[in-house]
Amino acid sequence: MKKHFSNALFLAAATAFASCSGANSNGHDPKDTTGTVQDTTKLPPVEKNKANTDYKPAFEGQTRIAGVKTNTAYEGTVVVEGLKAPWGITELPNGKFLITEREGSMKIVDPATKAISEPLSGVPKADPQGQGGMLGITLDPDFASNRMVYWVFAEPVKGGNHTAVAKGKLSEDEKSIEGATVIYQALPTYNGKLHYGGRILFDKSGNLFVSTGERSDLETRPQAQDLNSALGKILRITKDGKAVAGNPFEGRSDAKPEIYSYGHRNTQGLAFNPVTGDLWNSEFGPRGGDEINLVQPGKNYGWPTITYGIEYAGPVIGNPPIQQKEGMEQPVYYWDPVLSPSGMIFYTGSNVPEWNNNLFITGLSSTHIARLVIDNNKVVGEERILADKGERFRDIIQSKSGAIYTITDGGKLYKIDKK
């Protein structure tokens, strides 16, 4: 009898080990498409607070996925303090960081000396009201030879302002932007101070993806669904601000040719999956319903027709409120309560191997960075990074060293790396 009992225990243990070594509790292979072994230990969801609504997700795992925990020892350390509401960050070839400050300036931070430069001269005036000002920034893929910088800002004009894209050359002495030129304006102009979008990045073809907001107000929200408006969109333009040939609405008289996708509320995060090349975004919902999406050309992401959130004051959105509609894309994942998602990256470093190909999204009101484990374009695990710092994290990048750097609304630059 003892022998049979021991054998049964052995078989049960072997089965459990095989289960943990193979598919995880969500039925996914614990190896992602890069071949990196991911942590398969599933914890309770990280969100413990009550949701704002009783809306049901469209599919299992669309919200409140199981938690995961990083096993590698890592730390977040402050590199510099004293920036003024930094919004966008990019790394120069020499290891310094070019950072936008929301009220209208650009500065350079040297992490080696911890020096913060004076504001660069030659930068066009930005409208800093509300959520406006100087926003996202990126370098030309050929920066080493042409020193060109591209950025997004709220451009003040007669009758209001709009999201605009500009470019200019960083001077050799790193003290000015030379020949700054506005290459694109997201029209129509509106006299408001909210929801500018503002992220910008280059694709492998040397074209720009730019996000715009729908300007928040009830009168502008429907323009997220209007293909003759640049509000509430993700755009694909050339270095000169023109629509890229082959964009999904090219040749249509009822649509702006620069539009790549539409139905967005306020996208402040854009990133390419390094394995698949797919474009992802993060965007603010209202009260609840913050989301990430796999962005595909010509697709409609639903705002304000469908949403998992409600108005900030409490009323529902829509009459009746709906969360799903044919012809409109579902978010890959959403948060309720909100993350307040801003900048985002896919991690490709080797410093913390278990993070490979994970998605990192900075959280503002949530005061943490969300780490999402992605498998087959589904979120299979979530962790909160630097939640003990109490910071509103605004943007995030991975440096050439493999470390992660993030900036906060409170003016700090953090480095996140293994201990």
Side-chain angles (χ1 to χ4, degrees), residues 195 214 216 221 264-267 282-292 303 306-312 317 334-335 338-341:
H195 292 194
E214 36 66 289
S216 180
R221 281 183 189 176
H264 300 287
R265 185 170 181 266
N266 189 28
T267 293
S282 64
E283 62 182 281
F284 291 82
R287 183 174 163 187
D290 288 354
E291 60 189 49
I292 58 171
W303 177 257
I306 60 173
T307 178
Y308 285 95
I310 57 178
E311 299 286 7
Y312 292 116
I317 296 172
Y334 72 86
W335 291 265
V338 296
L339 172 65
S340 297

Side-chain angles (χ1 to χ4, degrees), residues 32-34 36 38 91 204 271-277 344-360 372 396-404 417:
D32 65 16
T33 51
T34 66
T36 299
Q38 299 288 350
E91 186 180 24
K204 291 182 178 180
F272 286 108
N273 184 309
V275 175
T276 65
M344 59 189 280
I345 59 166
F346 280 91
Y347 181 78
T348 60
S350 58
N351 296 12
V352 184
E354 63 200 283
W355 288 355
N356 198 29
N357 206 34
N358 290 178
L359 186 60
F360 286 75
L372 300 181
I396 188 168
I397 62 169
Q398 180 184 315
S399 74
K400 293 184 289 293
S401 69
I404 291 174
D417 204 0

